[in-house]
């Protein structure tokens, strides 16, 4: 049995990431953290990595499953370029697993401020963890089996969120569906093409002037009626909720929040103001128990209309600009205008306007009332998305204890996995992002985030039909399966790719046929604190070849997946650590089977073909249009 030790440095804030608390030891009396040295400046922990050690974890970040060779910064960010040179995305999931044949160590750095994980970036063999604040709780364990360390970590952070079963269906989303008619057209498009559809997402356009918990009454004159109409077709409508509350006289959420003092405040006690989609907003202080309860209660407006699912956005929290900073920018621009423009001033001109959003300086100008302490935002920044989502989940338990409600968020911290899932934010219609999603899944699972998935087809940029097809061939295995795209990009509803629509229909039906397995494995992973997606290096520890396999995953205990993620490829190499049965599906009923020995194989996979590998000791049976996997 492995056990986590809790080692405390300084005086950390309680984040409630961990629910089963081990007894705490102070850093000094514990003799520090085994294997880690505390730097002289006291904010850096150093660990020397052996060449043979792999480093996994960190949840939703860029790059591969093995995190060695880059610097990652836990600093929840609205980052729209998920390129390999980025350091931060939306989440802070500070869990690391360091392992090789000689053993494994796991470390969770529990601190709500910024943390830098330099994993062989500055020095190839050196793992350096830099903390903004000296106050942190470290949860540390070692053992021989890395999977056991993950399981025990999951046990102490508590059970993962369980979504309703229907949330394992397929959903369509797009920023820009403006009204009932738009949505009816999408639903009709799917119906005509014979492609099943289970959810349609409502982006910010459904609201009245982007005001949370309001509905544009011209676009949706009778939302409850429309919700019923859609439900009769088996379709759930899932609206978005943003973090910022619009400043507007007469808007009850704003007025009540001000009256009760539930918004984040500046040093002088005035409400902090910033601009996001609705224009000027206040941020609800979801870190404060009372304010959180109040904000959660607001979801009732939509619950009462029959809505049973939500996605929480902009909760890093993102800010477009503050009025104070905008003033400064204008002042400096005026100054520049009076001078002769040289090349440096020209660059400054661009920088002045190009970098006004989500500035670190702005995050230092407002405060939370957290556990009876006035805490500056930057010190608890990484908790905001977690606590906003927790606000909703706790409210659902109070307001609708008998209903199952879908909930997921963009920003997250460990602990939020108990309250909702995550989607991986604004990716692009790039082949590299298809692979990136595969690589993020196991790391998300390690931190308890089982209900997750990417914007299928890519959010930004234009999607091509072959990318969509290959992406569906990955997302059909992820619990959260949603096609979503940004305003202004090429339309990418599956039926828009007319020639391939029959193939898409087959794949979505295949997904439906896999739901019993996916759901059963999800529940099992949740109850046994297991991964749903397991990297091969964790499952076959004695096979040296799998240490570098970054494009295949085990799914549950019976299957392995290996999607195609290269354009124009009509197949791929797959490495089998043990003999497996390849089932190559074109539809639920049209498939072939091949017994393959362990080793390397090139597998032909036409654009409409999905490979599912069945592990020894397990079976996959197709009867009619059901698939049973044991
Ligand atoms: O600033 O609501 O990640 O899914 O479509 C963009 C509009 C705000 C970001 C989300 C995306 C959503 C978009 N939102």
């Amino acid at each position: 049995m492995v056990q986590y030790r809790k080692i405390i440095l300084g005086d950390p804030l309680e984040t409630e990431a961990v629910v089963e608390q081990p007894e705490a030891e102070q850093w000094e009396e514990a003799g520090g953290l085994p294997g880690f040295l505390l730097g002289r400046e006291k904010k850096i922990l150093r660990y020397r990595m052996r060449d043979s050690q792999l480093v996994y974890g960190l949840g939703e970040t860029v790059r591969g499953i093995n995190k060695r060779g880059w610097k990652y910064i836990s600093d929840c960010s609205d980052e729209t370029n998920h390129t390999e040179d980025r350091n931060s995305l939306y989440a802070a999931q500070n869990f690391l697993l360091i392992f090789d044949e000689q053993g494994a160590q796991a470390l969770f750095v529990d601190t709500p401020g910024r943390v830098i994980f330099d994993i062989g970036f500055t020095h190839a063999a050196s793992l350096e963890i830099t903390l903004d604040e000296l106050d942190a709780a470290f949860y540390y364990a070692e053992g021989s089996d890395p999977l056991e360390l993950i399981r025990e970590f999951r046990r102490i952070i508590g059970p993962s969120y369980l979504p309703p079963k229907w949330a394992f269906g397929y959903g369509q989303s797009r920023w820009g569906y403006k009204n009932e008619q738009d949505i009816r057209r999408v639903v009709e498009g799917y119906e005509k093409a014979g492609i099943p559809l289970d959810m349609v997402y409502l982006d910010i356009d459904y609201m009245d002037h982007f005001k949370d918990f309001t509905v544009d009454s011209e676009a949706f004159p009778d939302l409850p009626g429309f919700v019923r109409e859609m439900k009769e077709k088996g379709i759930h409508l899932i609206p978005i909720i943003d973090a910022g509350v619009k400043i507007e006289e007469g808007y009850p959420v704003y007025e009540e929040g001000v009256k009760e003092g539930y918004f984040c405040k500046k040093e002088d006690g005035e409400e902090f103001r910033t601009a996001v989609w609705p224009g000027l907003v206040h941020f609800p202080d979801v870190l404060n128990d009372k304010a959180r309860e109040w904000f959660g209660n607001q979801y009732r407006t939509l619950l009462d209309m029959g809505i049973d699912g939500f996605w929480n956005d902009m909760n890093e929290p993102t800010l477009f600009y503050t009025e104070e900073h905008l003033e400064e920018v204008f002042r400096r621009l005026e100054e520049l205008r009076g001078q002769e423009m040289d090349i440096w001033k020209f660059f400054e001109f661009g920088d002045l306007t190009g970098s006004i959003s989500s500035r670190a300086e702005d995050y230092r100008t407002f405060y939370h009332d957290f556990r009876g302490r006035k805490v500056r935002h930057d010190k608890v920044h990484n908790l905001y998305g977690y606590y906003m989502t927790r606000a909703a989940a706790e409210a659902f338990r109070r307001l609708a204890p008998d209903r199952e409600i879908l909930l997921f968020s963009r920003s997250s911290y460990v602990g939020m996995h108990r309250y909702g899932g995550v989607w991986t934010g604004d990716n692009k219609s790039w082949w590299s992002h298809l692979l990136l999603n595969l690589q993020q899944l196991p790391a998300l699972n390690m931190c308890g985030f089982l209900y997750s998935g990417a914007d299928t087809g890519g959010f930004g940029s234009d999607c091509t039909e072959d990318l969509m097809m290959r992406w569906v061939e990955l997302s059909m295995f992820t619990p959260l399966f949603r096609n979503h795209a940004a305003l202004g990009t090429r339309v990418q509803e599956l039926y828009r790719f007319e020639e391939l629509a029959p193939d898409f229909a087959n794949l979505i039906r295949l997904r439906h046929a896999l739901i019993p397995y996916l759901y059963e494995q999800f529940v099992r992973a949740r109850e046994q604190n297991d991964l749903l997606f397991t990297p091969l290096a964790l499952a076959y520890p004695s096979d040296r070849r799998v240490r570098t396999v970054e494009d295949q995953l085990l799914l549950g205990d019976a299957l392995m997946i290996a999607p195609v993620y290269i354009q124009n490829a009509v197949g791929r190499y797959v490495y089998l650590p043990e003999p497996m049965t390849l089932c190559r599906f074109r539809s639920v009923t049209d498939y072939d089977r091949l017994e393959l020995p362990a080793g390397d194989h090139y597998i032909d996979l036409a654009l409409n073909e999905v490979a599912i590998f069945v592990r020894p000791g397990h079976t996959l049976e197709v009867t009619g249009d059901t698939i049973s996997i044991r």
Side-chain angles (χ1 to χ4, degrees), residues 175 203-204 240 277 311 313-314 320 410 423 426 459 484:
W175 180 8
D203 208 318
I204 47 175
I240 195 172
W277 288 105
W311 47 308
D313 191 20
M314 304 296 277
F320 288 167
R410 192 169 70 175
W423 95 100
D426 299 349
F459 175 74
H484 181 48

Side-chain angles (χ1 to χ4, degrees), residues 504-629:
F504 281 122
N506 286 334
L507 292 182
I508 303 301
R509 288 198 200 106
L510 182 57
R511 157 67 171 218
H512 276 200
L514 289 170
I515 290 178
Y517 176 73
L518 289 176
Y519 190 76
E520 177 205 5
Q521 292 294 317
F522 187 103
V523 170
R524 192 185 61 83
R526 177 178 184 272
E527 281 169 4
Q528 299 176 7
N529 297 317
D530 260 325
L531 301 179
L532 184 59
F533 293 99
T534 310
L536 270 48
L538 293 176
Y540 304 94
S542 57
D543 184 337
R544 291 192 63 83
R545 267 292 304 280
V546 297
R547 296 164 47 93
T548 52
V549 174
E550 291 258 349
D551 58 357
Q552 304 174 200
L553 294 173
L554 298 187
L555 166 53
D557 52 16
L559 305 182
M560 185 183 79
I561 59 167
V564 173
Y565 54 89
I566 290 176
Q567 189 158 30
N568 300 315
V570 285
R572 58 164 285 176
Y573 281 97
V574 175
Y575 174 71
L576 303 189
E578 57 185 344
M580 292 190 194
T581 310
L582 164 65
C583 301
R584 199 163 29 194
F585 282 95
R586 288 163 290 275
S587 74
V588 179
T589 48
D590 179 15
Y591 63 96
D592 47 59
R593 253 179 223 268
L594 208 58
E595 300 299 332
L596 297 172
D600 291 293
H601 299 276
Y602 183 83
I603 312 288
D604 292 315
L605 288 165
L607 188 57
N608 65 339
E609 289 183 316
V610 192
I612 297 180
F613 297 85
V614 185
R615 297 178 67 190
H618 295 274
T619 58
L620 183 156
E621 302 293 337
V622 183
T623 7
D625 50 14
T626 66
I627 298 181
S628 87
I629 299 163

